[in-house]
Amino acid sequence: MAQGLELSATDFQSSWNNRWHHTEEISSERLLVRRGQAFYITLYFRNRGFQPGLDNIIFVVETGDAVYLDSEPQRQEYVMNDYGFIYQGNKTWVRPCPWNYGQFEENIIDICLELLDKSLNFQVDPATDCALRGSPVYISRVVSAMINSNDDSGVLNGKWSEDYLDGINPAEWTGSVAILRQWHATGCQPVCYGQCWVFAAVMCTVMRCLGIPTRVITNFDSGHDTDGNLIIDEYYDNTGRILENKKDAVWNFHVWNECWMARKDLPPGYGGWQVLDATPQETSNGLYCCGPASVRAIKEGEVDLNYDTAFVFSMVNADCVCWLVHGGKEQRLYRDTNSVGNFISTKSIQSDDRDDITENYKYEEGSPQERQVFLKALQKLKIERFEGPYRANSPSSKPMPLSQNRPRSLHRPSLRPSDVIQVSLKFQLLDPPNMGQDIRFVLLALNMSLQFKDLKVSLSAQSLLHDGSPLPPFWQDIAFITLSPEEAKTHPCQIPYSKYSQYLSTDKLIHISALGEEKSSPEKILVDKIITLTCPAIMINVLGAAIVNQPLSIQVIFSNPLSEQVEDCVLTVEGSGLFKKQQRVLIGVFKPQHRASITLKTVPFKSGQRQIQANLRSNKFKDVKGYRNVYVDLML
């Protein structure tokens, strides 16, 4: 009888396999392979050679193709690309924010695996957790919970205020690598601080590093419905000031992820892109995580499908009801079915352009299909809601229904007060809203009737945080406007920089509103506008050809747009494959309207398409951004 084989050594051919599996940027020393693709290993035997027909070798391997994308351009974008854009601003001014995902940078794969081992699931039952790691549904929920630190030793602490003295203002981050490395270096202590785009960007890094196709999504005018009734309530006082709502909110924008995966746990047809949201908003099965929720299920109103589909549906398709708070009562001004969920955006495939993917999430606003889906979602959630124009703050108050605004069916929105009064109000900016300059705008008033109209209009301006939280008003005015039949008039307004500068939030958002009333009608007209102030972008010039392992000079040009001195200026620059770590340059004091440049030297260590990301922060502004794409050649 032939002697059995004795294995002496195994060559995993890591360098060759990793190159063909597109993981060579992570490592060439250990085997890192992707699902659904062949790889090769060599076995060496101690006592004799392998004899075909006589010897039998059995391999036990467990794989799957639950995250396979059959498009090579999509694989390059959603798995391989290590930089991108996260869209911010507002629906009328969409701004791309450059981001360094850096999923192939040194030690990132180990940090991602450490993140899985720090999860509550692994801590409670390591064997079961490891057995389930082949499921992208399971892994995505674990990662979603671990990116925030609300329940565990997660990566990021979230903060939505203006006090970041004990950490980093979320607006200052330009990449995930520095965040993940800090978390690892401090013994897995949460990094301070993150907000939605930071949570989503770090999750994108982790998921792409683990081989799951992932992209970052921005939803403008994003609903946060805490009571699950698909209604976002907004409150105003009689001066036009928006009031803080401790429950519902409309975020100026909100950022989450989509991951590509099969969903064998759902009915056929609901695989593909799935929403994952690592921002700690509400709990899911007791933990602060969200998803995966099928994008197709969201569009079709299948809000009873796992996971958290109803919550995501409300973010993109809730109705908004505006209330006037006055005299101890809440008067409903109008119900808006179109305002939540606009310009849902992600970076285009192999391009710096923006893709609008709103149609993936919902049917066109105002279409019969959109209302049908909304009603279907309400039915599945078994929601009923009183829609009268008044509701009391106390049981003793009596509702005072108005004949012009009786309760209406959910099939269509109620008449706006402007339709009843037949007067239209609208804001229009006269100049670009540049940081440091006065804000000039007009209120346009149009009489659509054949009668004279006497209007009293209360105007207000206040800063907003990006999650919709209002700060106290810093400017108010009252205008009296008389309109002849079918007449249009403009009322000019100006808010000096000296008036708003000390009240401006990091997000640079100013909410202006006008509450109009006409003496012959009890109805009130509300119009508002969100203004995002802009700063001049950082310019980056690459001085000479970029070649692997050859010195490269990079010029960074930046300016102070304000007519006052700014202090505590710090410039950060990074870029995967170009800098081994984030570069920080202390600038200190920056003179009024001064322009400056510095030159940095580096040695690129990876070839191909790369991106440089830069941020300038000061005591007056935190997120002046800039970027430059660079192609790095292997040799001259």
Side-chain angles (χ1 to χ4, degrees), residues 549-568:
N549 297 327
Q550 296 296 315
L552 179 67
S553 295
I554 296 168
Q555 181 189 44
V556 183
I557 304 171
F558 47 94
S559 59
N560 174 11
L562 307 182
S563 55
E564 60 180 318
Q565 177 177 287
V566 297
E567 302 172 353
D568 303 324

Side-chain angles (χ1 to χ4, degrees), residues 535-556:
C535 291
I538 294 173
M539 292 180 58
I540 301 173
N541 296 319
V542 178
L543 308 179
I547 302 168
V548 170
N549 297 327
Q550 296 296 315
L552 179 67
S553 295
I554 296 168
Q555 181 189 44
V556 183

Side-chain angles (χ1 to χ4, degrees), residues 21-35:
H21 283 251
H22 306 286
T23 60
E24 74 275 14
E25 287 195 31
I26 300 176
S27 173
S28 60
E29 303 299 323
R30 54 178 172 167
L31 183 65
L32 294 164
V33 295
R34 302 187 185 277
R35 308 183 198 207

Side-chain angles (χ1 to χ4, degrees), residues 125-158:
D125 188 347
T128 301
D129 175 77
C130 290
L132 290 171
R133 287 186 182 182
S135 164
V137 173
Y138 175 80
I139 281 292
S140 64
R141 284 184 65 77
V142 169
V143 174
S144 175
M146 279 299 298
I147 296 300
N148 69 71
S149 61
N150 286 45
D151 308 295
D152 42 42
S153 304
V155 175
L156 281 160
N157 269 340

Side-chain angles (χ1 to χ4, degrees), residues 518-536:
E518 206 271 327
K519 65 180 183 181
S520 64
S521 171
E523 291 284 359
K524 294 178 173 59
I525 313 168
L526 176 68
V527 63
D528 64 351
K529 185 178 183 68
I530 294 177
I531 300 169
T532 303
L533 297 174
T534 64
C535 291

Side-chain angles (χ1 to χ4, degrees), residues 39 50 158 166 214 257 259 303 316 339 343 397 405 414 436 446 467 476 492 524 528 563 603 623 633:
F39 64 95
F50 176 77
D166 58 341
T214 304
N257 298 100
C259 297
V303 294
V316 301
S339 61
F343 295 97
S397 302
N405 196 11
S414 59
L446 172 63
D467 67 354
Q476 290 180 313
K524 294 178 173 59
D528 64 351
S563 55
V603 177
D623 64 337
D633 285 313

Side-chain angles (χ1 to χ4, degrees), residues 448-492:
M448 298 178 287
S449 75
L450 298 178
Q451 288 81 39
F452 282 88
K453 299 287 183 179
D454 288 320
L455 298 179
K456 176 187 175 183
V457 183
S458 300
L459 298 118
S460 178
Q462 59 198 122
S463 288
L464 288 183
L465 304 183
H466 103 273
D467 67 354
S469 301
L471 301 181
F474 55 78
W475 175 86
Q476 290 180 313
D477 193 13
I478 295 178
F480 295 93
I481 303 172
T482 300
L483 295 171
S484 300
E486 299 183 332
E487 183 185 15
K489 282 186 178 179
T490 61
H491 176 74

Side-chain angles (χ1 to χ4, degrees), residues 137 261-268 270-272 274 292-294 305-307:
V137 173
M261 65 186 72
R263 290 298 302 270
K264 295 179 181 179
D265 58 319
L266 300 183
Y270 291 101
Q274 311 288 314
S294 164
L305 296 182
N306 284 341
Y307 291 89

